[in-house]
Amino acid sequence: MKLIVGLGNPGPGYVRHRHNVGFVAADAIARRHDFGPWRPRFEGLVADGALAGEKTVLLKPTTYMNESGRAVAAATHFYKIEPKDVIVIHDEVDLVPAKLRVKRGGGAAGHNGLRSIDAHIGPDYWRVRIGVGHPGDKDLVPRYVLHDFAKADLAWLEPMIGAIADHITLLAGGKEADFMNRVALTLNPPTHKPAPAKD
């Protein structure tokens, strides 16, 4: 069984914020793979479905970002899910926009949602890191992530979210490298040079 967590803050005022990209991805996965309706549970919203032939629960914590670990811990304890079967999707200021990285374990790197999850279940879970760019000064990061994506960002954000939803089955099935490659190819499709003209 898998638990996929999209991080964000609840409420209409946060919907388009960079910090809420995990919520956006979770919604897209639910639509793409015909998950059941969202319902309140575990201090969050959950939707049930299957990926790669395995029961999967999507979770959007509604505790606000700093307490995301409470919802994740409640879900993992109820379903008896190990951290290695948890996938957390979140914004990453240390990656440039339109970059995606997947890793298991590691530090929170100043991300309050990850810090909270680490405190509740430990660090040994998968992270899908969606690059949103850095404002250039660490003191500006809180305001930057709690602000809407720029209109120019939609050119890469919408295709990336679509690619994550399309190919999440690969990651759920343990093929993280294939997942990253498919997302990268969606955003940067190969260009075919025309064959040279023959004399």
Side-chain angles (χ1 to χ4, degrees):
M1 184 173 180
K2 301 292 184 185
L3 176 67
I4 299 180
V5 183
L7 294 186
N9 287 307
Y14 296 95
V15 170
R16 295 180 179 83
H17 285 187
R18 294 179 176 91
H19 227 16
N20 272 44
V21 72
F23 275 14
V24 176
D27 285 334
I29 292 168
R31 289 191 302 269
R32 173 67 178 81
H33 297 279
D34 297 319
F35 274 60
W38 292 100
R39 65 190 194 282
R41 201 171 188 192
F42 309 124
E43 295 191 83
L45 296 172
V46 299
D48 297 317
L51 293 172
E54 188 172 9
K55 179 176 172 59
T56 303
V57 174
L58 287 169
L59 169 65
K60 296 189 295 183
T62 54
T63 53
Y64 288 96
M65 186 68 79
N66 293 5
E67 297 292 340
S68 299
R70 292 192 346 231
V72 176
T76 56
H77 292 161
F78 180 84
Y79 292 112
K80 298 180 173 58
I81 299 174
E82 296 293 326
K84 66 182 177 62
D85 291 316
V86 176
I87 298 168
V88 177
I89 306 174
H90 65 92
D91 59 304
E92 177 59 76
V93 296
D94 290 331
L95 287 177
V96 298
K99 290 295 182 184
L100 178 140
R101 293 288 183 270
V102 175
K103 64 179 291 189
R104 180 177 163 191
H111 194 290
N112 289 332
L114 299 184
R115 184 180 290 120
S116 177
I117 295 171
D118 288 355
H120 283 83
I121 70 167
D124 195 28
Y125 54 89
W126 288 94
R127 302 117 191 273
V128 177
R129 306 160 61 206
I130 299 175
V132 297
H134 198 287
D137 183 332
K138 67 179 182 179
D139 293 333
L140 298 178
V141 167
R143 185 177 183 278
Y144 177 77
V145 296
L146 291 173
H147 195 275
D148 290 359
F149 276 101
K151 287 184 179 180
D153 289 325
L154 299 182
W156 64 262
L157 180 63
E158 292 177 351
M160 174 176 277
I161 294 298
I164 290 171
D166 286 345
H167 304 301
I168 191 68
T169 301
L170 291 169
L171 182 57
K175 299 177 180 178
E176 61 274 7
D178 290 344
F179 170 73
M180 284 191 289
N181 287 339
R182 292 288 184 89
V183 173
L185 284 172
T186 298
L187 294 175
N188 299 287
T191 56
H192 298 287
K193 294 181 180 180
K198 294 182 180 180
D199 293 334

